[in-house]
Amino acid sequence: MFLDTDADAASGYAVSALGADYLVQASGYGGALQDARLSHFESSDPENWTGWTFIGTAASAMGQDTAGRWNVELSIADDLLGSPFAANKVRASFAFDDNMDHTTHTDVPINGRTGSLRVTQRAVGTLLATSGAQPFLQLTFSAFGFPVHVESVSPESTPSGRLGAPLAGGPPFDLNPGENRTVIWPIDTTGLAPLSTVSARVLSVVTNGSYLFENEPARAYVGAASPNKNIDGLFQDWAGATADSDLSPVRRASLDIKNSDGSVVGSDVYLYMKFGGTPLEGTPAPRRQARQQAPGGGGGGTSGSGTPPGRLVGYDYIRFFLRTDDTASGGIDVNGLLVDRYVELRGRERQVRSAAVYRWTGSSWQWEAPLTWAFGDVEVEVRASLPNATFRSSQIVGMTVDWMGVVDSASAQPTRAATRGAHGPVVLDISGQWYLRDTPPSDQMGCTVNRKAERTQGSSNKSVTLTGNESACWDVDDTSGQTVPAGDWQSVLDIYSSSPSDTTYNVIFQIWDKTNHQVVTTIGSCTGVSNYGNDQTCTIYSVGSQTIASDQVVRLRVERAGGGGTVRIDYDSGTSAGDSRLFLAIPEFHDVAFPVTLGATAVLAIAWMRRRKPAS
């Protein structure tokens, strides 16, 4: 639960149109609450999850009501919330996560005193006649919590001055909780040129509750759709986009690729993707919740003893990898295609934080050009101008990524400038998540216990106990002969000690030579760690791209460092207890600097402009 206690969206952690000052994390398993932790946000970066600092516990209870529905109650002492806490200013947002990548969130601010209002905007149709007033901007008002009074609405259109008065049922009006009302505004297209576009959106609402806007502005063509490629947010020039099929369900609808396509016009490349949900939704809590973790890390985390936590943001990434010239040599292998450029849009809560195209130089990715883009409710289209590129039978691979790694990827396909053809799916296995398993690796040398890390989760509930100077290692055999792209490396261990107060351990990421049985490179380490419990993390930030030879492998090494107790690692489990794992190339791209524009945010289906009624 995120709490905004000062009614200031510009301060605190940006989530659900709030500036959250406090965070309550209630966790449990087996149908019972185990822990409720209160943290305070102490960072000037409104998106940095590691800005949360633990300050105390919260009273909590869970049970079923007479209808059989489960309820959770949380109570926080006023003195823990400090100044400028005022009960009449508190607003809340809720997020639920099962630690298995399934999440849900509230999308309107809740204050417990007045109702909340969601305003969903869309176009009645996307093609208008060339003259006369026609139904166009459709707004649906939905009330939550308490009755809501809507006094007035201020819409605007482009070109300006074209919207008329609402056709029927316009404000003022009242809504009861759970009630919806749809109102339509007409637009006059008289005098507008054929093939031109119009748009309309809501600027503000006068109401007695908190509110937010949902969806992109309403857009339409006048007379006929443009026959040329345009970034206009209408997407009618992408008919026949290639459908994507998945062998297993994609864990997040907002990153589930349904269709993708590309086209080259001169030196411009146009790209398209359609999703199963709202794109660039992001993750409000980009770290798994540890079970009964010792106080000290808050909602954020640690990279080991003495190491300050780095920036951790729940961004989503939309990427298109391009092979611009099929006769050129070199490139990076993505889904069986040697690519020389990639296009990326990165953001959270429907806000784009960076958008650019990068070029492969032979040793690293370099920024090349900015992008032009437009979003729909479940679509995005992008244009990149590449005057220095040679386009010859160019091909693309679409991909979606979140803070945990690759979520969905499409097969390689030609752009529209080339002849279409069929391409079978190729699994991308050089970044993402691997579970620590109890299977032997290809090289069983170098550690007291040698095991393998695999893509699939186990089910055998194993543990290894270290004494003295013993160590346990897990090799990621999938990485042999591959290139691990730049990003953060992270281990997430279910780790315990018989004497946690004085026993420490080290976590080390290595490149291991399987032929000579020796370390080639130490990527990074967390040393002298004394944190124990479920989901204890060690993160190595900003690791550069790593080319792994065919006789080498990425190795995770855990070794007992000192103290009077043993160190036990639980792994190879099919549940969230004992599912120790590691991540390679978590996509943050800290080494690339971008101009960033911050704005108001909200959790679900966020429009490019949202407002909330200021506190009175």
Side-chain angles (χ1 to χ4, degrees), residues 342-345 354-358 367-371 373 594:
Y342 82 86
V343 169
E344 178 187 273
L345 293 104
S354 68
V357 58
Y358 302 87
W367 187 93
E368 184 172 19
L371 303 176
W373 71 89
F594 303 100

Side-chain angles (χ1 to χ4, degrees), residues 305-384:
S305 177
T307 303
R311 188 173 191 259
L312 178 61
V313 181
Y315 285 141
D316 285 347
Y317 302 76
I318 300 169
R319 292 176 178 160
F320 298 89
F321 293 87
L322 286 78
R323 179 170 176 80
T324 57
D325 184 355
D326 69 346
T327 65
S329 60
I332 296 294
D333 189 326
V334 177
N335 281 21
L337 183 70
L338 284 178
V339 303
D340 54 273
R341 284 171 172 83
Y342 82 86
V343 169
E344 178 187 273
L345 293 104
R346 172 175 58 177
R348 63 187 288 268
E349 304 208 339
R350 197 54 184 266
Q351 304 289 325
V352 175
R353 294 296 184 245
S354 68
V357 58
Y358 302 87
R359 179 177 59 87
W360 180 248
T361 65
S363 60
S364 64
W365 291 105
Q366 297 292 330
W367 187 93
E368 184 172 19
L371 303 176
T372 302
W373 71 89
F375 279 94
D377 297 344
V378 294
E379 297 169 284
V380 64
E381 57 184 358
V382 182
R383 181 181 68 233

Side-chain angles (χ1 to χ4, degrees), residues 1-8 18 21-22 76 78 81-82 84-94 109-114 116 210 612 615:
M1 178 174 67
F2 298 92
L3 294 174
D4 182 351
T5 58
D6 60 6
D8 183 3
L18 302 176
D21 307 293
Y22 294 90
I76 307 165
D78 289 358
L81 297 179
F85 167 70
N88 64 343
K89 293 184 177 181
V90 174
R91 294 174 172 84
S93 174
F94 296 86
I110 299 168
N111 63 28
R113 303 176 310 278
T114 62
S116 298
S210 300
R612 183 185 69 184

